[in-house]
Amino acid sequence: MTAQRPRWRAALAVTSVLLTATACGNAGGSKDAAAPVKIGLVASLSGVYQAVGQDMRDGFQLYLDLHHGQLGGRPVDLVVADEGAGPATAAPAATKLVKQNQVVALTGLVGGDSVAAVAPIATAAHVPLVGANARPTLKDVSHFWTSSYMSTDPGAAIAGYIHDTVKGPVYAIGPDYQGGYDELSGFTDAFTKAGGTLANPGGKTTFTPFPQTTDFLPYLAKIAASGAKAVYTFYAGSAAVAFVKQYAQSDARSIPLYAAGFLTEGGVLDAEGPAAQGINTVLNYSPDLDNAANRTFVSSWKAKHDSLPTTFAMASYDAAAILDHAIAAITGPVTPQAINTQIGRLGQIDSPRGPWQFNSAHAPVQKWYLRRVAADGRSVSNTVLQTLTTLG
């Protein structure tokens, strides 16, 4: 099977021709082509990560809007469920989508612990799950794919740069849950392997109770007294806003702050305002990347939402593209196993982040970028400074 190569800027007329040709080639004929394809999307639409979940939902929907509500030439019935705060609500939501709604594919999931809970459900039902955010290490990825990144990747991508740039020990701090463990271990493992030293007591990352920690000042006072020459962290959502604002007011404010890009991504940056200026982050995407696919994505997003898209929206947009091209390659009924098989045959994906492809672990081989928050008129924005590395 020839590898499918998404062409994000294809004219609508060309897209229509390609989709019609695919539909005509289906064994089920026009009746099969007209049958809606039911896709389930699970994302946090309430709680701490509500903004992230909304971006993921809207990113997937934007792709559908630009493709006439179709994937692979088939009309789509998108069934959205609330992931809530984590596995306790994500798992039953996914179970309902699989067993009651009988979706042929799942996507979404904000939290790594939600992924760990939902992946076995999808695998047992032989339903492909295209995760669109952080992914922990999984034993069985036969039906799991991610359009975003491995949870350890951001820290691993910037560790070498920080080691070469910062002359002295670095303090590592993050939230006390699976995503925080993965994000921080990605950094500390690579940083210490490169010869770096942690300023934390005992040389071990400091983890703050999640989600109850809203006062970071006691932790920041310890950082200021630690002798650290820089800080590396991972927080997202409302915790990121609290951390950044308090950091700017604390005795640690003169210590350079590095972070996984979620600390200053999307709406949280608007809430942080000037307090975020000067923060260096690492991420697999930025709206100012200069490529054709990104220009189309950014302009379409801005026209609909009057804001810049986030990495969360981009990864979900790519998840829709993955399913689009997998379904287009099916020459018979659109079944979960047929979709899963065709995802495994996809080649390079022309994404707003730049071209990428799946590795053997079903995760992206992609570039990571160093960004810095800088003044942008009356507001602040993330600006790409350089490409750090390619991981995958």
Side-chain angles (χ1 to χ4, degrees), residues 104 126 128 143 326-327 329-345:
V104 294
H126 303 290
H143 289 76
I327 293 170
I330 296 172
T331 57
V334 179
T335 64
Q337 190 56 53
I339 295 174
N340 197 62
T341 298
Q342 293 302 332
I343 292 176
R345 295 173 177 173

Short mmCIF file of all heavy atoms in Angstrom, two decimals, residues 104 126 128 143 326-327 329-345:
data_model
loop_
_atom_site.label_atom_id
_atom_site.label_comp_id
_atom_site.label_asym_id
_atom_site.label_seq_id
_atom_site.Cartn_x
_atom_site.Cartn_y
_atom_site.Cartn_z
N VAL A 104 -16.04 3.74 15.91
CA VAL A 104 -15.02 2.93 15.22
C VAL A 104 -13.61 3.41 15.54
O VAL A 104 -12.64 2.76 15.17
CB VAL A 104 -15.24 2.95 13.69
CG1 VAL A 104 -16.55 2.26 13.32
CG2 VAL A 104 -15.21 4.38 13.15
N HIS A 126 -10.54 -3.74 20.40
CA HIS A 126 -9.89 -3.63 19.09
C HIS A 126 -10.29 -2.35 18.36
O HIS A 126 -10.44 -2.34 17.14
CB HIS A 126 -10.20 -4.86 18.23
CG HIS A 126 -9.80 -6.15 18.86
ND1 HIS A 126 -8.48 -6.53 19.04
CD2 HIS A 126 -10.54 -7.15 19.41
CE1 HIS A 126 -8.42 -7.70 19.64
NE2 HIS A 126 -9.66 -8.10 19.90
N PRO A 128 -9.15 1.48 17.51
CA PRO A 128 -7.95 2.33 17.52
C PRO A 128 -8.18 3.59 18.34
O PRO A 128 -9.24 4.21 18.28
CB PRO A 128 -7.73 2.68 16.04
CG PRO A 128 -9.08 2.52 15.42
CD PRO A 128 -9.74 1.39 16.16
N HIS A 143 -3.16 -0.94 19.39
CA HIS A 143 -4.29 -0.13 18.94
C HIS A 143 -4.18 1.31 19.45
O HIS A 143 -5.17 2.04 19.46
CB HIS A 143 -5.61 -0.76 19.40
CG HIS A 143 -5.96 -2.01 18.68
ND1 HIS A 143 -5.34 -3.22 18.94
CD2 HIS A 143 -6.83 -2.24 17.66
CE1 HIS A 143 -5.84 -4.14 18.14
NE2 HIS A 143 -6.72 -3.59 17.36
N ALA A 326 -6.40 7.55 6.93
CA ALA A 326 -6.55 6.12 7.14
C ALA A 326 -7.87 5.62 6.57
O ALA A 326 -7.94 4.60 5.88
CB ALA A 326 -6.47 5.80 8.64
N ILE A 327 -8.95 6.36 6.83
CA ILE A 327 -10.27 5.97 6.33
C ILE A 327 -10.32 6.06 4.81
O ILE A 327 -10.92 5.20 4.14
CB ILE A 327 -11.36 6.85 6.97
CG1 ILE A 327 -11.45 6.53 8.47
CG2 ILE A 327 -12.71 6.63 6.30
CD1 ILE A 327 -12.31 7.50 9.27
N ALA A 329 -8.10 5.34 2.79
CA ALA A 329 -7.37 4.22 2.19
C ALA A 329 -8.13 2.90 2.29
O ALA A 329 -7.71 1.90 1.72
CB ALA A 329 -6.01 4.07 2.87
N ILE A 330 -9.25 2.89 3.00
CA ILE A 330 -10.02 1.65 3.19
C ILE A 330 -10.85 1.36 1.95
O ILE A 330 -11.58 2.23 1.46
CB ILE A 330 -10.92 1.76 4.44
CG1 ILE A 330 -10.05 1.90 5.70
CG2 ILE A 330 -11.84 0.56 4.56
CD1 ILE A 330 -10.84 2.20 6.96
N THR A 331 -10.78 0.15 1.46
CA THR A 331 -11.51 -0.24 0.25
C THR A 331 -12.69 -1.16 0.56
O THR A 331 -13.08 -1.97 -0.27
CB THR A 331 -10.57 -0.93 -0.75
OG1 THR A 331 -9.95 -2.06 -0.11
CG2 THR A 331 -9.50 0.04 -1.23
N GLY A 332 -13.21 -1.07 1.73
CA GLY A 332 -14.36 -1.87 2.14
C GLY A 332 -15.05 -1.18 3.29
O GLY A 332 -14.92 0.04 3.46
N PRO A 333 -15.78 -1.91 4.12
CA PRO A 333 -16.44 -1.31 5.27
C PRO A 333 -15.44 -0.64 6.22
O PRO A 333 -14.33 -1.13 6.41
CB PRO A 333 -17.11 -2.51 5.95
CG PRO A 333 -17.28 -3.52 4.85
CD PRO A 333 -16.09 -3.35 3.97
N VAL A 334 -15.85 0.47 6.78
CA VAL A 334 -14.98 1.19 7.72
C VAL A 334 -15.15 0.58 9.10
O VAL A 334 -16.05 0.93 9.86
CB VAL A 334 -15.32 2.70 7.75
CG1 VAL A 334 -14.41 3.42 8.75
CG2 VAL A 334 -15.15 3.31 6.37
N THR A 335 -14.29 -0.36 9.41
CA THR A 335 -14.31 -1.03 10.71
C THR A 335 -13.15 -0.54 11.56
O THR A 335 -12.17 0.01 11.04
CB THR A 335 -14.17 -2.55 10.53
OG1 THR A 335 -12.88 -2.83 9.96
CG2 THR A 335 -15.26 -3.10 9.62
N PRO A 336 -13.22 -0.74 12.87
CA PRO A 336 -12.10 -0.34 13.72
C PRO A 336 -10.78 -0.97 13.29
O PRO A 336 -9.75 -0.28 13.24
CB PRO A 336 -12.52 -0.83 15.11
CG PRO A 336 -14.02 -0.77 15.08
CD PRO A 336 -14.37 -1.20 13.68
N GLN A 337 -10.80 -2.26 12.95
CA GLN A 337 -9.55 -2.91 12.59
C GLN A 337 -9.01 -2.39 11.26
O GLN A 337 -7.79 -2.25 11.08
CB GLN A 337 -9.73 -4.43 12.51
CG GLN A 337 -8.41 -5.19 12.37
CD GLN A 337 -7.42 -4.87 13.50
OE1 GLN A 337 -7.76 -4.96 14.68
NE2 GLN A 337 -6.21 -4.46 13.14
N ALA A 338 -9.91 -2.08 10.32
CA ALA A 338 -9.46 -1.53 9.04
C ALA A 338 -8.79 -0.17 9.24
O ALA A 338 -7.76 0.13 8.62
CB ALA A 338 -10.65 -1.40 8.09
N ILE A 339 -9.36 0.64 10.12
CA ILE A 339 -8.75 1.95 10.41
C ILE A 339 -7.39 1.75 11.05
O ILE A 339 -6.41 2.40 10.66
CB ILE A 339 -9.65 2.78 11.34
CG1 ILE A 339 -10.97 3.13 10.64
CG2 ILE A 339 -8.93 4.06 11.79
CD1 ILE A 339 -11.97 3.83 11.55
N ASN A 340 -7.31 0.85 12.01
CA ASN A 340 -6.05 0.62 12.71
C ASN A 340 -4.96 0.15 11.76
O ASN A 340 -3.81 0.59 11.83
CB ASN A 340 -6.25 -0.41 13.82
CG ASN A 340 -5.13 -0.41 14.84
OD1 ASN A 340 -4.90 0.59 15.52
ND2 ASN A 340 -4.42 -1.52 14.94
N THR A 341 -5.34 -0.74 10.84
CA THR A 341 -4.37 -1.24 9.86
C THR A 341 -3.85 -0.13 8.98
O THR A 341 -2.63 -0.03 8.72
CB THR A 341 -5.02 -2.34 8.99
OG1 THR A 341 -5.39 -3.43 9.82
CG2 THR A 341 -4.06 -2.81 7.91
N GLN A 342 -4.74 0.74 8.52
CA GLN A 342 -4.33 1.81 7.62
C GLN A 342 -3.52 2.89 8.32
O GLN A 342 -2.64 3.50 7.71
CB GLN A 342 -5.55 2.42 6.93
CG GLN A 342 -6.26 1.47 5.97
CD GLN A 342 -5.35 0.95 4.88
OE1 GLN A 342 -4.39 1.61 4.48
NE2 GLN A 342 -5.66 -0.25 4.37
N ILE A 343 -3.79 3.13 9.60
CA ILE A 343 -2.95 4.08 10.34
C ILE A 343 -1.50 3.59 10.33
O ILE A 343 -0.55 4.37 10.17
CB ILE A 343 -3.44 4.26 11.78
CG1 ILE A 343 -4.80 4.96 11.80
CG2 ILE A 343 -2.43 5.10 12.59
CD1 ILE A 343 -5.41 5.10 13.19
N GLY A 344 -1.33 2.27 10.49
CA GLY A 344 0.01 1.70 10.49
C GLY A 344 0.73 1.82 9.17
O GLY A 344 1.95 1.63 9.10
N ARG A 345 0.00 2.14 8.11
CA ARG A 345 0.60 2.27 6.78
C ARG A 345 0.83 3.71 6.36
O ARG A 345 1.31 3.97 5.26
CB ARG A 345 -0.28 1.57 5.75
CG ARG A 345 -0.37 0.05 5.96
CD ARG A 345 -1.39 -0.58 5.03
NE ARG A 345 -1.42 -2.04 5.20
CZ ARG A 345 -2.30 -2.85 4.61
NH1 ARG A 345 -3.23 -2.33 3.82
NH2 ARG A 345 -2.26 -4.14 4.83
#
